[in-house]
């Protein structure tokens, strides 16, 4: 669903750009409350993981593929405000380095892929947790449904934006039919990836899953026929907790590198949902050449490397490395601002 340059007119691009800037400013402030010493390092890794998995297009229908958007996954793992920042970092790296998603359309892409997916997914997720039993399985199930609904929600948002500022004379009904139908199917893949990832992390370190905070029920003991709270178990040693976080971080980074550097070669080569709909309906009639088309990493390949597998793998590894560094830097700054805020007030 990476929108290229030329799909939207200048006013729509400008307005969505302003919306994106405002949402990022709000998210930066909100992320200060979400990030702590446990989750700040994880946020950069989440961005890198989303970048890697977005390279893995999976077939969803005849001649069409899809890939993870990542808003639901990021919101549940590290929080909705931080989630918006995670996906935005990914979109920025993709647009600048890999010519994936137009630069003038960056506001549209952030609004659609980062803001809409995150807001819808987290709202659905929290709503489901209020009615489901308080358990880890409920978190995983809620993450599945939230991710499933976030993708067609993004396609609806694209359709509405195109009705306002699309550059071609295509019936909005045709745009809606082409976009929403296929993205419901893509949502199933999004849901599966999100649920599996959240389930894997929550099985190892549930305390690192933002969406699972407050889910642990205190142990009750019956004393003289009355239920009372059991004494709290001693917390794990700080050194052990840090070692566990580092192990999880290292595992996630290696997994991201393997997915982007090796597994991505076997991804589907079919056009994704937006690309296929654009071709079929003529939405892409005024597509403009990407400003970064001359980038040495354009189209997820390394310039002057003739072997396709090696070129794509190197591009994927570079993308993961760049994204984890950029994301970690952003979230480290946000975290520091949180820790220094009290002293500034005094």
């Amino acid at each position: 669903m990476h929108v290229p340059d030329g799909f939207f007119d200048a006013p729509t691009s400008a307005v969505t750009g302003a919306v994106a800037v405002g949402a990022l400013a709000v998210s930066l402030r909100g992320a200060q409350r979400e990030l702590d010493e446990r989750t700040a390092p994880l946020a950069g890794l989440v961005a890198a993981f989303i970048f890697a998995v977005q390279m893995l297009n999976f077939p969803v229908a005849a001649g069409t593929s899809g890939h993870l958007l990542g808003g639901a996954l990021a919101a549940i793992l590290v929080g909705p405000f931080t989630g918006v920042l995670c996906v935005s970092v990914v979109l920025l790296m993709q647009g600048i380095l890999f010519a994936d998603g137009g630069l003038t359309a960056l506001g549209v892409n952030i609004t659609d892929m980062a803001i809409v997916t995150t807001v819808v997914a987290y709202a659905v997720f929290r709503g489901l947790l209020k009615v489901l039993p308080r358990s880890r399985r409920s978190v995983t199930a809620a993450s599945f449904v939230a991710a499933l609904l976030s993708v067609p929600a993004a396609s609806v948002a694209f359709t509405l934006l195109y009705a306002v500022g699309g550059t071609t004379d295509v019936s909005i009904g045709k745009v809606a039919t082409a976009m929403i139908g296929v993205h419901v199917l893509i949502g199933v893949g999004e849901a599966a990836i999100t649920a599996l990832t959240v389930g894997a992390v929550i099985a190892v370190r549930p305390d690192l899953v933002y969406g699972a905070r407050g889910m642990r029920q205190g142990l009750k003991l019956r004393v003289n026929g009355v239920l009372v709270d059991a004494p709290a178990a001693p917390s794990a040693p700080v050194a052990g907790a840090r070692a566990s976080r580092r192990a999880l971080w290292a595992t996630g980074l290696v997994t991201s590198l393997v997915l982007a550097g090796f597994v991505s070669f076997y991804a589907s080569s079919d056009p994704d949902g937006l690309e296929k709909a654009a071709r079929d309906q003529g939405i892409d009639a005024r597509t403009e050449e990407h400003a970064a088309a001359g980038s040495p990493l354009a189209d997820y390949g390394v310039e002057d490397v003739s072997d396709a597998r090696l070129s794509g793998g190197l591009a994927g590894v570079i993308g993961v490395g760049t994204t984890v560094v950029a994301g970690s830097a952003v979230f480290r700054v946000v975290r520091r601002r949180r820790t220094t805020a009290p002293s500034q007030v005094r």
Side-chain angles (χ1 to χ4, degrees), residues 18-109:
V19 170
V21 170
L24 291 176
V26 172
S27 296
L28 284 169
R29 294 182 64 86
Q32 293 182 36
R33 299 190 299 270
E34 293 173 347
L35 294 172
D36 55 27
E37 68 280 357
R38 297 173 301 168
T39 56
L42 182 63
L45 176 62
V46 169
F49 182 77
I50 291 173
F51 175 92
V53 180
Q54 283 195 2
M55 294 184 66
L56 308 180
N57 281 48
F58 49 84
V60 294
T64 309
S65 69
H67 63 70
L68 181 80
L69 297 186
L73 178 62
I76 294 166
L77 287 180
V78 292
F81 293 107
T82 309
V84 170
L85 297 178
C86 282
V87 180
S88 297
V89 168
V90 174
L91 294 173
L92 188 61
M93 293 298 101
Q94 291 170 333
I96 293 176
L97 298 179
F98 299 92
D100 188 11
L103 297 184
T104 62
L106 186 59
V108 174
N109 284 322

Side-chain angles (χ1 to χ4, degrees), residues 4 6 40 43 72 86 130 317:
C86 282
K130 290 181 179 179
V317 169

Side-chain angles (χ1 to χ4, degrees), residues 123-296:
V124 172
F125 177 79
R126 298 307 307 180
L128 288 174
L129 288 187
K130 290 181 179 179
V131 298
L132 292 174
R134 296 169 61 85
S135 68
R136 296 179 184 178
R137 290 184 179 180
S138 295
V139 174
T140 303
S143 68
F144 182 95
V145 178
L148 175 65
L149 296 179
S150 69
V151 178
S155 69
V156 170
F158 172 88
T159 302
L160 294 176
L161 287 173
Y162 203 82
V164 174
T167 56
T168 58
D169 187 19
V170 178
S171 165
I172 193 62
K174 291 183 178 179
V175 175
T177 300
M179 285 293 295
I180 299 173
V182 70
H183 282 92
V184 169
L185 299 177
I186 294 174
V188 176
E190 177 101 9
I193 295 170
T194 300
L196 287 172
T197 305
V198 171
V201 177
I202 203 172
V204 179
R205 286 295 302 270
D207 59 307
L208 296 183
V209 178
Y210 183 88
R213 292 182 178 181
M215 293 297 294
R216 180 181 295 181
Q217 292 179 312
L219 180 63
K220 299 285 186 179
L221 296 177
R222 186 176 297 275
V223 180
N224 297 326
V226 179
L227 288 176
V228 298
D229 293 330
S235 57
V238 174
R242 287 179 179 174
S244 177
R245 289 199 300 270
R246 289 172 182 171
L248 177 63
W249 196 92
T251 300
L253 181 59
V254 170
T255 300
S256 300
L257 291 171
V258 171
L259 291 176
F262 178 73
V263 180
S264 62
F265 181 78
Y266 302 97
S268 173
S269 59
D270 291 333
D272 64 23
L274 174 59
E275 188 177 0
K276 183 68 161 57
R279 290 180 183 178
D280 292 347
Q281 303 301 328
I283 299 173
D284 60 353
R286 297 188 180 181
T287 302
E288 301 173 1
E289 184 179 13
H290 200 288
S295 167

